Amino acid sequence: ALVEQYIDGRELNVAIIGNRPPVAMPISEIDFSGMTDGMHRIVSYEAKWMHGTVAFEGTKGVCPADVTAQQQARITETALRCYQLIGCRDYARVDFRLTKEGYPYVLEVNPNPDISDDAGFARSARAHGFTFPEVVGKIVESALERSH
């Protein structure tokens, strides 16, 4: 069993690509403002996959996230440290909760995140200026670098 404390606040994620050095792309946010009162502000199964539901329609990705320069620096640095500490390679995504006081908590490191068009990783890559073929190319190039 896994029991975690719920952290009330904004949900952010940082997509990272590459190895030498890894590059953190713009911070993305899940905007819960479309959720109705009484709904939990989390990205549930329903919010991710059940088109047409209040949870799905009420959770929209925004990139770049509206954070202060200090928050951006702290979150990006933390994401890159997590990427390296966990031993991620080529690409990954680090998810955060930002408390009302502005303190970032790492929720998880996802070493194999969804890169499809409507996913957070792709949203950050587009904000960084990458097309989908360029993202796939960068991931492949990173893997090839490691093989030599």
Side-chain angles (χ1 to χ4, degrees):
L2 176 64
V3 178
E4 296 177 313
Q5 176 184 348
Y6 174 71
I7 301 165
D8 190 22
R10 297 167 64 190
E11 185 153 332
L12 308 171
N13 58 71
V14 179
I16 301 171
I17 196 163
N19 299 316
R20 297 183 198 150
V23 174
M25 294 184 279
I27 299 170
S28 186
E29 178 170 8
I30 303 298
D31 178 3
F32 295 113
S33 64
M35 304 278 277
T36 60
D37 289 341
M39 292 184 78
H40 297 291
R41 302 308 197 245
I42 60 171
V43 184
S44 64
Y45 178 85
E46 193 174 277
K48 284 185 177 183
W49 306 110
M50 298 182 72
H51 294 259
T53 64
V54 174
F56 184 89
E57 299 304 324
T59 54
K60 298 297 179 196
V62 177
C63 190
D66 184 17
V67 293
T68 67
Q70 183 180 15
Q71 289 169 331
Q72 180 178 344
R74 184 174 193 178
I75 291 166
T76 299
E77 178 185 324
T78 301
L80 288 167
R81 289 180 66 205
C82 288
Y83 184 87
Q84 293 171 321
L85 286 169
I86 297 295
C88 294
R89 303 179 307 188
D90 311 329
Y91 76 111
R93 191 190 69 235
V94 182
D95 298 345
F96 291 84
R97 275 292 176 133
L98 186 66
T99 66
K100 289 174 177 38
E101 297 77 33
Y103 186 83
Y105 283 87
V106 175
L107 295 179
E108 71 171 322
V109 177
N110 187 338
N112 185 26
D114 183 356
I115 63 170
S116 65
D117 192 48
D118 61 344
F121 191 94
R123 189 178 314 111
S124 291
R126 279 191 304 276
H128 191 73
F130 288 140
T131 64
F132 182 75
E134 288 172 328
V135 167
V136 173
K138 294 276 185 192
I139 293 169
V140 171
E141 287 170 13
S142 295
L144 287 172
E145 280 177 1
R146 289 187 294 103
S147 69
H148 294 313

